[in-house]
């Protein structure tokens, strides 16, 4: 098992092809400063460069109180509107890095996922949470609106009605309600069970053809928000690419020969 560590507010630890990316600024409840966002972007770029060696990523927060309590409010106090917009764009670049990674990324949320923290979780493939998780988009309480994808991805996750209610009220909801709304895919009793559950689903996914999963992720991401005809076209194009892989040949052969497939990622 390889373990690599990057210095700074974001740690990356890897074992058995599963990378755990930890935002480690517990004194500020892991708030997203420019430094954190830059480090996150770099961490996901480094993981992308490793290709199929990375089977899956778990994104989480250190300290036991928060996933991420939002953008760094203290740092934002000194910004001009144009500088704040640059920070928001940096956030969107991080989201694009998460969505562009071939392997699945699971947000493991224990404690607060507020504002930019909820938005960061929404950029991941799946949100898993402990019973102690809390979600919300409190920006309007600060005279702001979500700036890191909340108006885009939250309605897609929970539907326009629940999203408008959350964004207009700034209300914080608990993990059970987040699960009911479809924001959280799975809920766990505590952090240990959360991390084990996230790792288990990555194991389950990585028994499948890596390239097929990567293409499915690309198609789901690219087709999101497009009309039926466009989405269907994107799906067929992805289906054709999957059909042309060696792993598809192997999957068919294994089925016909009544054996387990041995996928190579090609
Ligand atoms: N930014 C900076 N510091 C923070 C943040 C934050 N978002 N949240 C908490 N902290 C700090 C507190 O200032 C405090 O520091 P200190 O001990 O030095 O005073 C420490 O973390 C602990 O926090 P609290 O004492 O407040 O802990 P409580 O248990 O009393 O409350 C809460 C926890 C409810 C989470 C509370 O801290 C809170 O409301 N935090 C702010 C939540 C929020 O409003 N988030 C949204 C921010 S706006 C946003 O995210 C916009 C994103 C848009 C684009 C940006 C691009 C990425």
């Amino acid at each position: 098992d390889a373990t690599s560590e990057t210095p700074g507010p974001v740690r990356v630890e890897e074992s058995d092809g599963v990378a755990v990316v930890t935002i480690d600024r517990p004194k500020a409840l892991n708030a997203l400063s420019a430094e954190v966002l830059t480090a996150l972007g770099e961490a996901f770029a480094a993981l992308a460069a490793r290709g199929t060696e990375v089977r899956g990523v778990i994104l989480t927060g250190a300290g036991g109180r928060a996933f991420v309590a939002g953008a760094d409010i203290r740092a934002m106090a000194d910004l001009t509107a144009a500088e704040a917009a640059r920070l928001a764009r940096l956030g969107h670049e991080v989201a694009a890095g998460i969505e562009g990674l071939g392997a699945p990324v699971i947000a493991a949320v224990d404690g607060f996922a507020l504002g930019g923290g909820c938005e960061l979780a929404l950029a991941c493939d799946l949100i898993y949470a402990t019973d102690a998780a809390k979600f919300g988009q409190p920006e309007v309480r600060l005279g702001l609106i979500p700036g890191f994808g909340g108006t885009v991805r939250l309605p897609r996750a929970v539907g326009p009605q629940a999203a408008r209610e959350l964004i207009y009220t700034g209300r914080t909801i608990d993990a059970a309600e987040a699960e009911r709304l479809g924001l959280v895919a799975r809920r766990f009793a505590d952090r240990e069970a959360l991390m084990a559950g996230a790792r288990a689903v990555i194991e389950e996914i990585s028994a499948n053809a890596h390239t097929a999963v990567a293409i499915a992720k690309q198609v789901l991401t690219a087709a999101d928000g497009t009309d039926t005809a466009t989405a269907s076209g994107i799906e067929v194009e992805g289906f054709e690419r999957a059909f042309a892989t060696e792993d598809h040949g192997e999957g068919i052969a294994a089925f016909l020969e009544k054996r387990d497939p041995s996928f190579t990622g090609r």
Side-chain angles (χ1 to χ4, degrees), residues 37 71 76 79 81-95 145-149:
L37 287 170
M76 276 200 307
L79 301 183
E83 286 166 344
R86 266 202 292 280
L87 193 70
R89 278 188 207 102
L90 186 57
H92 283 281
E93 281 168 31
V94 170
I145 71 160
F148 179 12

Side-chain angles (χ1 to χ4, degrees), residues 16-129:
D16 205 18
V18 179
V20 178
V21 177
T22 306
I23 301 167
D24 193 3
R25 261 194 100 196
K27 284 198 182 116
L29 301 185
N30 304 320
L32 300 173
S33 58
E35 193 194 359
V36 171
L37 287 170
T38 301
L40 273 177
E42 286 169 1
F44 278 96
L47 291 170
R50 307 258 317 283
T52 57
E53 277 172 48
V54 178
R55 299 191 296 153
V57 180
I58 303 170
L59 176 60
T60 194
R65 289 207 59 218
F67 174 71
V68 166
D72 189 324
I73 298 174
R74 223 173 276 276
M76 276 200 307
D78 299 326
L79 301 183
T80 65
E83 286 166 344
R86 266 202 292 280
L87 193 70
R89 278 188 207 102
L90 186 57
H92 283 281
E93 281 168 31
V94 170
I98 293 171
E99 291 181 338
L101 192 74
V105 181
I106 299 171
V109 177
D110 185 22
F112 295 106
L114 300 177
C118 186
E119 295 169 296
L120 178 63
L122 280 162
C124 299
D125 291 279
L126 293 167
I127 303 179
Y128 281 13

